Amino acid sequence: MTSAHRASHVDRLADGPDPVEREYELALLDDLTRRTAAGRPALVMLEGPDGIGKSTLLEALVSRGRARDLRVLHTRAGQQGPRLPFGTAHALLADLDDGSLRLPLAAWRDASWDGGTTTRPQGLPLHETDDGSISFCMVTELLEVVRSATANGPLMIVVDNAEEADEASLHFFAHTARRMGGLPLLLALARRSGAHAPALNEVAALPLCQVLRPRPLTRAGIDLLIQGLIGTECDASVQECCLAATNGNPLLVTRLLTELHEKGLPHTITHASPVSGHDGAAFRSPATSLLRRQQKVTVEVARALAVLGDGATSETCARLAHLDGTVFARSILALVSGGLVASDKDGTWSFAHSLLRAAVLGDMSEEQRSTAHGRAARLLHDGGASAADVADHLCRSPATAAQPWARTVLREAAREAMLRASPRRAVELLRPCVPQGAEEDCEPSLLVELGVAERWVDAEASIRHLTTALERPIDPELRLQALSVLAEALARHGQVVSAVGLLGRIYSDTTAPFSAIARPQLMEAQVLMAATCDRTAYTELLKNVTFDLMLPGDTPDERALLTARSVISVARLDRVAQAVAAVRTVVSRGAVATDGVFLAIAGSALLYSDRPHEAERVYRQLLDGTDALLDQAFPSLLGLQGEAHQRLGALGEALDTTATALENVVVSRATPEEAVPLAVRIHALLDSGELAEASLLEAEIADPVADYAWQWNEVLCARGRLHLAKGDPKLALEHLEESGRRQAEWQRISPAVSPWWYWTGRAHLALGDRHAARALAEEAAERARASDLPCALGSALDLWADALENDERPALLEEAEQILMGTQAALVRARVRVARGKMLQRLGHQKAAREVLRQGWEEAYAIGAWPLHGIAHRALLATGARPRRPVSHGLGALTQSEAQVARLAADGKKNALIAETLFVTQRTVEVHLTSVYRKLGLSGRRELKDVMKTSGTGDGPP
């Protein structure tokens, strides 16, 4: 083979692709093989955790050695059966015995190993030794064997997992490493980080030794590995997922990706996350195998850390593992060097990824986990940890949770959960304290605490536990609380008659510890709102309860009852004017601290009575004055605020609000509280022209919606409007009519409650059915006119006009525009103006059409309703107009030059200085300032300064 061919052969190394992100290591190994082929010695030690790629690098080294005609001796220590003295050395050098060499061998005893008899190899000389001493003579003879072999050509000795070799063989490796001078020998050893082997430490400290410590893969390296394994590229999210789950360990990355590929799942974060979090059996296996290869105390430390969770302190972890500080420090260092554990900034310990912790916990039996969590709970409790932290472990250890001290902790943690508005968590904490079937033996107060928490989670269980508590002697205050929650739970479970009867008993109880009828009023309000969660209960409620709206509203309990009655009345179109007056009384007299939840209900009543500007003020006051993030109704509250924004035409605010409400929400598993912001967001996206984004959001919502809560009616309406925008009026009509049917069953008949009727009429018009559209418009207009619902009336007249002939439309559209002039519903007003302008243009009134269309065109631009703005623009062009700027008033109407002059004038600069600064004449400055005053509606510089300061902008218009 010529030198050119040999170089080409070495470059190819046909055994397979090189390891990923190991260019430096491979270059060094290639240099060492070249050096040995040239007759010089080389020594290399590979260190790193299991799975980091040491074996792969050794395989690459072996390939390079064979490509340069080195004689290769390669073995993996620990695979030779019993750890006999010089067992690894003999397995390594046995290939040199071609009859010309005589290998020394320790005496093999006729002893039984693992149930079988091991016999000594035949034809080899025997040397007696025992496990406790190492014969220097034998080490010397083995070295001479190596020397003799190098005389026939360069030799490579490669030992993987060297720390698993017997002590005598390790001594031989160290002896050989110290005496390699002048020999064409390459000795390569690989060992696991943290392994205790003094002989290997001695080798690594030699001046000749090159120590390689492969690093974990980066995201770019994982990308290369994915392409090599699967043959396709993955998005960046999968790379990040793999990096987080494996800490860049090549073995774990390979197993994780192989699991995805074998399951036939797309390589996206949607599928990578579940595999890495729950279904990663292929990942768990290598992770646990890496752990089991550690020493027993190291495994115990890993298990203790897995039980305690991220952020465990060294002291607690050591005590849980039954270890002293020194042994714990050595064991945790082994886990850190293996890439399994990392130290946090505050000195605590955590696993590199939650999947590693899950793998360690999965390697423990259920009994072991329960016992460990019980001990952890006691250790944390004795150390002064919070009740919530201790309770986490008690929930995983039923035997410990039954102890008296544990029940106290769980109840305290449950009370904290209820203060954080987390009833589901409170139920999880309290149920271990009340074993099923043992309710009669529990304290009444404990049953009441559990029943109070369960009313939001399991109404049937709440009724059972509260009823049991009330059958026994109980403190009067606690009894009142139990009665209140029981009435609400009965209503929520559909037993409205029983709830109303219970309220009657409370009202007639003269011995109850409350003044007059204050507390029963609050209970009744809670029952009314609880019944709105179940359609059957709501229907029954309307048959058995009267709605007196004449309460003065002087106390928080009166205001709560007044609000609950008002919102139901408004939705049913029952005495709307009286209900609006009552709600305004509640808003004027109420405070966030005392009327929190019912202020939100008051906002809904204003929204459903077509007062979105008043509703938005209430929602803003409520969100600014409370820590609503802790409230389970937070998404619904934000959704209603977003709907108020959307009705007012503040589309940007509507999108921002709904985005906050849906943050961290899995749309496919959305709750009724999250349905409202979902529907509002789809409407706002469609109004903003984001059809593609609205379609993506709608596709994630579960279909069909099996939940019959009223909130899903709004999702059906939004879904129908979306299909209408996509050009499928037939499918749109199915969803919209289903929404209308359900709204009627809920007796939500006010046209201001939901726009389902408006979009249903539009779907009928798209299908050519003017009669059906006109019937819907007439009914909505009649109801809106009778109940003073201006926005709904304007929309109804708009729809009605489209269902008539051309000559009949102008009067209805003009009336709609006049009605909407007195409202702040910018979106509906702009929609009506554009429709009226188009109608005037169609009838030949070009000048009037241009004026009306320009107003609608500017309003649509100002609120960001781009589809409507586009319609208005095309209609304006059809009238012969040539619109130059979409806004003629406000800061957005200023040209760049006008904005520059306005900023300098607001800063107090005189006209002459402004002209000099901008290199224009003073007359130009005066003209620009006149235009600025006209567009902003100002009279002078003083007002200009206030406007520019209030706007907070120093830049030109967008």
Side-chain angles (χ1 to χ4, degrees):
M1 182 182 292
T2 65
S3 59
H5 286 90
R6 182 182 298 276
S8 176
H9 175 66
V10 171
D11 289 339
R12 287 195 301 267
L13 293 172
D15 281 358
D18 285 337
V20 174
E21 287 193 326
R22 297 292 184 256
E23 291 79 10
Y24 169 76
E25 290 86 349
L26 292 173
L28 179 60
L29 296 178
D30 195 50
D31 181 66
L32 294 179
T33 57
R34 188 183 301 112
R35 182 186 306 175
T36 302
R40 289 178 292 172
L43 178 61
V44 62
M45 174 79 74
L46 275 72
E47 293 184 349
D50 289 333
I52 202 64
K54 301 186 298 296
S55 299
T56 305
L57 287 172
L58 290 182
E59 292 290 346
L61 175 63
V62 168
S63 297
R64 282 160 169 73
R66 287 173 177 160
R68 289 194 167 88
D69 296 333
L70 273 65
R71 188 173 185 181
V72 178
L73 305 177
H74 184 195
T75 190
R76 181 186 294 270
Q79 294 185 339
Q80 295 79 32
R83 289 167 58 94
L84 292 175
F86 294 106
T88 302
H90 175 267
L92 183 70
L93 302 178
D95 290 342
L96 294 177
D97 186 18
D98 56 4
S100 61
L101 299 173
R102 303 291 292 175
L103 300 183
L105 181 66
W108 288 63
R109 298 181 294 265
D110 292 333
S112 176
W113 298 89
D114 297 330
T117 301
T118 304
T119 57
R120 66 177 179 82
Q122 300 296 321
L124 295 176
L126 301 181
H127 291 258
E128 293 291 343
T129 186
D130 58 48
D131 297 339
S133 63
I134 300 174
S135 170
F136 181 76
C137 177
M138 289 183 62
V139 172
T140 304
E141 289 187 42
L142 288 173
L143 179 57
E144 288 303 320
V145 170
V146 174
R147 286 181 184 277
S148 299
T150 57
N152 298 327
L155 178 66
M156 178 188 293
I157 297 178
V158 179
V159 183
D160 199 358
N161 287 356
E163 74 280 357
E164 299 293 336
D166 58 274
E167 191 67 28
S169 296
L170 290 175
H171 190 74
F172 159 67
F173 297 146
H175 186 78
T176 302
R178 291 193 300 268
R179 293 164 175 79
M180 292 175 57
L183 298 179
L185 173 64
L186 193 161
L187 177 59
L189 306 173
R191 68 168 175 174
R192 184 173 65 252
S193 300
H196 181 65
L200 296 179
N201 295 340
E202 183 182 345
V203 172
L206 293 175
L208 181 63
C209 185
Q210 298 276 0
V211 180
L212 291 179
R213 297 182 177 89
R215 295 185 177 183
L217 299 178
T218 63
R219 196 182 78 176
I222 290 177
D223 183 33
L224 292 174
L225 188 58
I226 290 173
Q227 295 183 41
L229 288 172
I230 301 174
T232 60
E233 294 185 359
C234 294
D235 55 33
S237 58
V238 175
Q239 299 166 17
E240 291 288 355
C241 176
C242 289
L243 182 61
T246 63
N247 199 30
N249 187 295
L251 174 63
L252 300 182
V253 173
T254 302
R255 291 295 184 90
L256 187 60
L257 294 172
T258 303
E259 176 83 358
L260 277 176
H261 190 60
E262 290 179 351
K263 288 186 174 182
L265 298 176
H267 308 124
T268 63
I269 191 64
T270 305
H271 294 89
S273 295
V275 170
S276 64
H278 302 288
D279 304 324
F283 180 91
R284 189 179 298 113
S285 178
T288 53
S289 65
L290 297 185
L291 181 65
R292 288 173 181 174
R293 297 182 63 179
Q294 306 289 338
Q295 295 182 1
K296 184 177 179 181
V297 291
T298 304
V299 174
E300 292 301 322
V301 169
R303 290 181 171 181
L305 180 57
V307 168
L308 289 171
D310 293 345
T313 63
S314 298
E315 181 183 0
T316 306
C317 193
R319 292 180 63 188
L320 184 59
H322 300 283
L323 298 175
D324 60 32
T326 304
V327 177
F328 171 80
R330 186 166 62 245
S331 300
I332 201 73
L333 182 60
L335 293 173
V336 171
S337 63
L340 301 174
V341 171
S343 176
D344 299 329
K345 293 181 179 179
D346 56 358
T348 58
W349 302 99
S350 302
F351 278 95
H353 190 268
S354 59
L355 183 56
L356 294 171
R357 182 191 177 202
V360 176
L361 289 172
D363 193 44
M364 301 170 64
S365 67
E366 184 176 350
E367 183 180 356
Q368 287 175 326
R369 288 195 300 270
S370 178
T371 302
H373 279 295
R375 290 196 64 249
R378 190 71 209 195
L379 285 173
L380 292 172
H381 179 261
D382 293 345
S386 67
D389 291 340
V390 178
D392 284 337
H393 295 281
L394 290 174
C395 290
R396 296 175 174 85
S397 181
T400 308
Q403 299 178 14
W405 70 270
R407 272 199 298 272
T408 303
V409 172
L410 288 170
R411 293 177 70 176
E412 181 180 349
R415 294 187 192 105
E416 294 176 0
M418 290 299 291
L419 290 174
R420 296 193 304 271
S422 300
R424 191 172 299 277
R425 177 58 177 164
V427 170
E428 292 175 357
L429 295 170
L430 290 173
R431 279 187 173 167
C433 302
V434 185
Q436 190 171 3
E439 290 88 347
E440 296 290 342
D441 301 326
C442 293
E443 300 176 34
S445 59
L446 176 58
L447 291 173
V448 172
E449 291 176 15
L450 179 56
V452 169
E454 286 176 327
R455 64 174 166 171
W456 301 105
V457 180
D458 186 347
E460 184 177 357
S462 175
I463 294 170
R464 185 177 66 253
H465 289 135
L466 291 171
T467 303
T468 303
L470 289 169
E471 291 173 351
R472 298 159 62 182
I474 191 172
D475 178 77
E477 284 288 346
L478 195 61
R479 180 179 182 81
L480 180 62
Q481 182 186 17
L483 287 170
S484 172
V485 176
L486 178 58
E488 182 178 347
L490 287 169
R492 192 178 296 276
H493 196 245
Q495 301 178 36
V496 175
V497 175
S498 299
V500 172
L502 187 60
L503 283 174
R505 286 170 49 194
I506 297 173
Y507 273 105
S508 61
D509 188 357
T510 58
T511 63
F514 46 75
S515 59
I517 56 172
R519 290 300 298 273
Q521 288 177 329
L522 177 60
M523 296 178 194
E524 183 177 349
Q526 292 171 340
V527 167
L528 292 179
M529 300 318 301
T532 61
C533 298
D534 181 84
R535 184 172 57 86
T536 304
Y538 184 66
T539 305
E540 192 70 24
L541 175 78
L542 299 179
K543 297 177 181 177
N544 292 276
V545 176
T546 58
F547 293 87
D548 178 15
L549 299 176
M550 300 304 293
L551 295 174
D554 295 329
T555 66
D557 297 327
E558 279 187 353
R559 291 193 291 270
L561 182 55
L562 197 57
T563 302
R565 290 174 175 176
S566 297
V567 73
I568 294 174
S569 297
V570 166
R572 300 172 60 207
L573 286 180
D574 177 24
R575 297 167 294 163
V576 174
Q578 189 176 354
V580 170
V583 169
R584 286 173 173 164
T585 299
V586 170
V587 171
S588 64
R589 298 184 181 182
V592 174
T594 57
D595 301 79
V597 173
F598 288 95
L599 272 180
I601 299 171
S604 300
L606 291 169
L607 186 67
Y608 294 158
S609 59
D610 244 355
R611 275 77 179 173
H613 57 290
E614 296 183 50
E616 197 282 327
R617 283 200 299 267
V618 173
Y619 294 138
R620 186 171 63 249
Q621 174 191 2
L622 186 62
L623 290 170
D624 291 343
T626 61
D627 190 3
L629 287 170
L630 297 179
D631 194 339
Q632 64 177 5
F634 178 62
S636 183
L637 176 61
L638 280 178
L640 290 168
Q641 186 187 37
E643 184 172 357
H645 285 311
Q646 191 254 348
R647 294 191 185 193
L648 291 170
L651 300 180
E653 288 86 343
L655 290 173
D656 291 342
T657 302
T658 53
T660 303
L662 298 174
E663 189 175 0
N664 301 322
V665 171
V666 179
V667 175
S668 60
R669 298 196 295 268
T671 64
E673 288 75 22
E674 296 154 355
V676 172
L678 280 173
V680 174
R681 185 165 184 82
I682 292 175
H683 283 296
L685 287 170
L686 292 175
D687 289 328
S688 303
E690 300 291 345
L691 178 61
E693 187 174 346
S695 299
L696 290 174
L697 179 61
E698 185 270 340
E700 294 184 56
I701 302 174
D703 187 27
V705 179
D707 194 330
Y708 223 86
W710 65 263
Q711 291 92 334
W712 294 112
N713 304 351
E714 310 308 325
V715 173
L716 286 169
C717 173
R719 176 173 282 165
R721 182 188 173 186
L722 174 64
H723 288 300
L724 184 62
K726 293 165 71 172
D728 191 349
K730 189 173 182 180
L731 181 59
L733 195 59
E734 292 180 10
H735 291 295
L736 290 164
E737 288 185 334
E738 173 65 13
S739 175
R741 185 184 65 80
R742 291 173 51 146
Q743 296 282 20
E745 290 180 351
W746 274 97
Q747 299 193 37
R748 293 164 62 85
I749 61 175
S750 169
V753 167
S754 171
W756 72 269
W757 55 270
Y758 180 83
W759 298 111
T760 303
R762 290 294 174 190
H764 281 306
L765 290 174
L767 292 171
D769 189 352
R770 287 191 174 187
H771 178 74
R774 179 175 178 175
L776 282 169
E778 288 179 345
E779 181 182 14
E782 181 182 357
R783 289 176 173 178
R785 204 184 298 274
S787 301
D788 187 22
L789 306 175
C791 302
L793 180 57
S795 295
L797 294 173
D798 175 28
L799 177 62
W800 194 348
D802 266 4
L804 298 176
E805 299 298 331
N806 286 346
D807 56 348
E808 298 179 277
R809 295 179 184 178
L812 287 176
L813 290 173
E814 185 175 357
E815 181 187 358
E817 185 177 359
Q818 291 299 320
I819 290 171
L820 292 169
M821 286 292 291
T823 72
Q824 298 183 30
L827 178 60
V828 179
R829 184 170 61 243
R831 187 183 294 144
V832 169
R833 276 180 173 159
V834 171
R836 178 168 171 254
K838 289 173 63 180
M839 178 53 54
L840 290 171
Q841 187 270 335
R842 197 174 297 124
L843 294 174
H845 307 298
Q846 303 297 331
K847 183 177 180 180
R850 278 196 294 270
E851 181 180 350
V852 175
L853 282 170
R854 182 177 291 277
Q855 288 179 313
W857 180 69
E858 291 175 350
E859 287 181 346
Y861 180 89
I863 64 179
W866 306 123
L868 183 62
H869 176 71
I871 294 172
H873 188 80
R874 290 189 292 273
L876 263 178
L877 293 177
T879 64
R882 294 294 180 265
R884 298 179 60 187
R885 290 187 61 81
V887 180
S888 60
H889 300 285
L891 290 171
L894 302 181
T895 66
Q896 184 175 358
S897 299
E898 290 169 348
Q900 289 177 325
V901 171
R903 286 197 299 271
L904 294 172
D907 290 339
K909 293 181 173 57
K910 301 296 184 182
N911 287 1
L913 182 57
I914 295 174
E916 181 180 349
T917 302
L918 300 179
F919 302 100
V920 296
T921 64
Q922 288 195 49
R923 176 59 182 163
T924 301
V925 173
E926 293 170 0
V927 170
H928 283 330
L929 278 177
T930 301
S931 180
V932 168
Y933 296 151
R934 176 179 56 80
K935 290 181 179 180
L936 299 183
L938 308 177
S939 60
R941 287 177 181 252
R942 179 174 299 178
E943 294 180 358
L944 177 63
K945 182 177 180 179
D946 294 337
V947 168
M948 299 300 285
K949 181 178 180 180
T950 303
S951 69
T953 179
D955 302 323

